[in-house]
């Protein structure tokens, strides 16, 4: 039995790979409509039948179209299950795509899973692919690491408090009874965490964001 799909993919090479992957599956997948840019949407969908089983949408094709807008249009026009297929992912982006109508996600490095993921999605199965779960975990871990890496230690806060009061690094060294190299190492870590160029700038920023009050 034929399964009719809408494919949104702006890269010809990836479009061909997706077709090849679907052709190897036991299902008879028919790409009823291939959209490669936003401007072609109405022209393409006018040639589609009303019975679309699912859509495979790449949201990230630089310079071609807004994938999120296309995703919304497909959801409104056909109300079909949508699998987002992309090489790029982060949690904020996935939340936006989910709100726009995404039902499932698959990283392009796991393209061999595509037929199976489409079947799960067509059944309204909430189970996401192994690749999407892995990507979520990786991105959550990255965000957690980034958040933790910006937390100032007790010593770093003490150094910034003194710098904010106008102390020079040599006076900071004397006040805290630590070596000059230790002070410099702390300052270098502070600059990296706060992404600023000087200790005075770091002290002002930390004070403004009330990072020195805890």
């Amino acid at each position: 039995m034929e399964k009719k799909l809408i494919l949104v993919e702006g890269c010809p090479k990836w479009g061909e790979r997706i077709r090849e992957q679907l052709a190897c599956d036991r299902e008879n997948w028919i790409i009823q409509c291939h959209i490669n840019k936003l401007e072609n949407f109405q022209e393409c969908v006018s040639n589609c039948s009303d019975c679309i089983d699912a859509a495979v949408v790449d949201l990230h094709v630089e310079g071609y179209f807004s994938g999120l807008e296309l995703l919304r249009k497909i959801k409104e026009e056909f109300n079909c299950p949508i699998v987002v297929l992309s090489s790029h992912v982060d949690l904020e982006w996935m939340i936006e795509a989910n709100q726009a109508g995404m039902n499932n996600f698959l990283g392009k490095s796991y393209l061999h899973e595509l037929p199976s993921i489409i079947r799960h999605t067509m059944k309204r199965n909430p189970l996401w692919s192994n690749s999407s779960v892995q990507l979520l975990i990786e991105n959550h871990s990255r965000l957690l690491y980034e958040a933790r890496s910006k937390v100032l230690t007790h010593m770093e806060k003490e150094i910034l408090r003194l710098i904010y009061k106008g102390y020079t690094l040599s006076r900071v060294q004397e006040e805290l009874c630590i070596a000059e190299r230790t002070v410099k190492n702390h300052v270098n870590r502070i600059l990296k965490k706060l992404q600023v160029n000087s200790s005075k700038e770091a002290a002002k920023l930390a004070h403004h964001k009330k990072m020195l009050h805890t």
Side-chain angles (χ1 to χ4, degrees), residues 68-79:
L68 281 172
E69 188 173 347
L70 274 171
L71 196 158
R72 292 187 188 100
K73 285 178 176 291
I74 291 169
K75 202 69 173 182
E76 290 171 6
E77 188 81 22
F78 299 100
N79 193 30

Side-chain angles (χ1 to χ4, degrees), residues 104-189:
N104 214 329
F105 170 83
L106 183 67
K108 282 187 173 178
S109 56
Y110 296 85
L111 190 61
H112 62 279
E113 294 184 24
L114 181 59
S116 174
I117 295 305
I118 297 174
R119 274 191 289 272
H120 276 296
T121 310
M122 285 170 56
K123 294 175 182 176
R124 308 289 176 172
N125 192 329
L127 177 65
W128 283 40
S129 67
N130 291 335
S131 59
S132 57
V133 172
Q134 180 181 341
L135 286 166
L136 280 170
I137 292 170
E138 288 173 356
N139 278 277
H140 177 73
S141 299
R142 175 180 58 80
L143 291 171
L144 189 61
Y145 171 78
E146 288 177 357
R148 287 177 175 173
S149 69
K150 292 178 182 177
V151 175
L152 298 173
T153 66
H154 175 74
M155 181 58 74
E156 288 166 352
K157 289 178 184 178
E158 287 298 315
I159 291 171
L160 285 177
R161 284 191 188 102
L162 294 176
I163 292 173
Y164 185 76
K165 289 179 180 179
Y167 282 48
T168 63
L169 293 185
S170 58
R171 282 194 65 192
V172 170
Q173 171 191 342
E174 293 174 4
E175 181 74 18
L176 298 178
C177 299
I178 54 179
E180 180 183 359
R181 177 179 291 183
T182 303
V183 173
K184 288 182 178 179
N185 287 341
H186 280 300
V187 169
N188 287 334
R189 282 194 289 269

Side-chain angles (χ1 to χ4, degrees), residues 8-62:
V8 176
E9 175 58 68
C11 174
K13 289 184 179 179
W14 273 109
E16 189 60 32
R17 290 179 189 176
I18 292 167
R19 289 175 183 273
E20 290 173 358
Q21 194 65 52
L22 293 173
C24 295
D25 191 58
R26 67 176 187 267
E27 301 278 3
N28 185 16
W29 301 104
I30 304 295
I31 295 179
Q32 186 85 2
C33 173
H34 185 173
I35 303 169
N36 57 17
K37 53 186 176 181
L38 181 59
E39 290 77 11
N40 287 357
F41 177 78
Q42 290 300 335
E43 180 184 347
C44 289
V45 298
S46 64
N47 298 321
C48 286
S49 66
D50 294 332
C51 301
I52 294 295
D53 294 293
V56 177
V57 180
D58 184 351
L59 302 188
H60 292 270
V61 182
E62 188 175 357

Side-chain angles (χ1 to χ4, degrees), residues 88-103:
H88 313 285
V89 62
D90 60 49
L91 288 177
E92 185 177 348
W93 168 86
M94 290 188 80
I95 290 169
E96 280 192 69
N98 189 61
Q99 291 172 342
M102 175 181 73
N103 299 101

